Amino acid sequence: MTNSHIVIDEITKSYGETTIIAPTSLRVDRGEFVSVLGPSGSGKSTILNMIAGLSFPTSGALFARGEKITGPGPDRGMVFQHHALLPWMTARGNIEFGLQSARPELDKDARRARAEEYLGHVGLTHAADRRPARLSGGMQQRVGLARSFAIDPDILLLDEPFGALDALTRRQLQLLLLEIWEANRRTVVMVTHDVDEAILLSDRIVVMSAGPEATIIEDLTVDMGRPREGTGADELRAHLLGLLS
Ligand SMILES: Nc1ncnc2c1ncn2[C@@H]1O[C@H](COP(=O)(O)OP(=O)(O)O)[C@@H](O)[C@H]1O
Ligand SMILES: [Mg+2]
């Protein structure tokens, strides 16, 4: 158990009489990029929230670095589909504010330098002084990603982070995520409904069955070198689409 970075051990989740997640286990190694695919309502976000320590299983337990997860922690950072940026703060200010709570060892100058660095990574140096109301949806999403990437948590949890974006922005940010992941090799668990996104990015893809009583029905290692754009994944794609239909 101690070798895995994240261990999900026979968890279930019920709301009242309804068991939404039937006994489910998963281990994620340090530095692994795992995608979770599954139909809407299969409990993907619930599982991610449990890893984040924002929700708790009805039975079973979750561990990060061998320690039972009992609440949120700075080792685990979450990126949601819609970023809650603080509207009265600039893009730079939002990133600095995130660092202030999650990385208290950094002083003001270090926070500023880091915020500027990550604004550069997401191509928003020119918009550093703008408030969210003056940023497009895609730009706001970039600021949110920059905020999470700047914190650089040990475990990055992504809940359909690109779901609300246009195709071009989506592809740019997928490649940015890949670049940052390849540089830092953090542990990533990403929920997505996009088979191609899962194939493009992950070392492993786990598939959930439809709820209620959803569980993991497939756990595939993606045995392909990167970059993965283009051909070569047709069988894998067809297999995954078959499981999801
Ligand atoms: N607080 C809650 N109370 C009751 N049911 C809930 C609650 N949160 C989620 N659910 C139900 O749990 C199931 C799984 O939800 P969710 O994890 O959001 O699925 P997914 O992310 O895979 O779409 C859904 O059927 C949802 O309606
Ligand atoms: Mg969800």
Side-chain angles (χ1 to χ4, degrees):
M1 181 170 287
T2 44
N3 274 344
S4 299
H5 199 177
I6 303 168
V7 173
I8 298 176
D9 187 22
E10 289 286 301
I11 56 162
T12 68
K13 182 73 174 179
S14 301
Y15 288 107
E17 303 274 275
T18 312
T19 299
I20 63 156
I21 299 172
T24 296
S25 298
L26 180 70
R27 285 158 180 270
V28 179
D29 284 342
R30 180 171 286 279
E32 222 178 356
F33 194 130
V34 176
S35 287
V36 181
L37 278 171
S40 182
S42 56
K44 304 181 296 297
S45 295
T46 304
I47 289 180
L48 215 59
N49 284 327
M50 288 195 269
I51 300 172
L54 301 169
S55 171
F56 298 93
T58 305
S59 64
L62 297 91
F63 303 83
R65 252 187 296 178
E67 281 178 40
K68 190 167 175 177
I69 295 171
T70 56
D75 60 322
R76 284 156 286 134
M78 184 89 144
V79 178
F80 299 97
Q81 185 170 354
H82 297 283
H83 288 287
L85 299 179
L86 298 170
W88 60 89
M89 284 188 181
T90 63
R92 186 199 293 109
N94 267 282
I95 301 173
E96 288 173 339
F97 184 76
L99 287 168
Q100 201 173 340
S101 47
R103 296 287 300 270
E105 77 281 10
L106 299 178
D107 66 17
K108 200 163 177 291
D109 289 343
R111 288 198 299 269
R112 167 133 316 197
R114 219 174 152 77
E116 308 253 333
E117 180 191 339
Y118 279 83
L119 278 169
H121 286 318
V122 298
L124 284 180
T125 301
H126 64 288
D129 291 313
R130 289 199 219 163
R131 293 194 167 78
R134 291 190 51 231
L135 300 168
S136 70
M139 290 163 93
Q140 291 184 31
Q141 194 73 356
R142 283 171 195 241
V143 175
L145 285 170
R147 184 174 57 185
S148 300
F149 292 160
I151 291 168
D152 191 22
D154 235 17
I155 297 174
L156 189 58
L157 304 168
L158 303 157
D159 196 352
E160 306 200 17
F162 311 122
L165 302 173
D166 64 84
L168 185 63
T169 307
R170 187 184 179 100
R171 179 48 51 110
Q172 284 172 348
L173 293 185
Q174 286 168 343
L175 296 177
L176 173 72
L177 170 61
L178 200 54
E179 204 176 291
I180 288 178
W181 176 76
E182 287 187 329
N184 300 346
R185 291 278 166 168
R186 299 299 181 227
T187 305
V188 179
V189 182
M190 179 180 76
V191 167
T192 177
H193 60 260
D194 181 340
V195 168
D196 290 309
E197 179 169 284
I199 294 171
L200 177 73
L201 297 174
S202 340
D203 294 313
R204 247 170 96 199
I205 301 174
V206 301
V207 183
M208 310 257 325
S209 57
E213 298 185 38
T215 191
I216 293 172
I217 51 167
E218 184 67 284
D219 185 339
L220 288 169
T221 298
V222 184
D223 204 4
M224 293 166 61
R226 293 184 175 84
R228 294 198 182 130
E229 289 188 276
T231 54
D234 295 348
E235 272 177 45
L236 179 57
R237 180 180 299 109
H239 177 65
L240 290 168
L241 288 170
L243 287 171
L244 291 170
S245 64

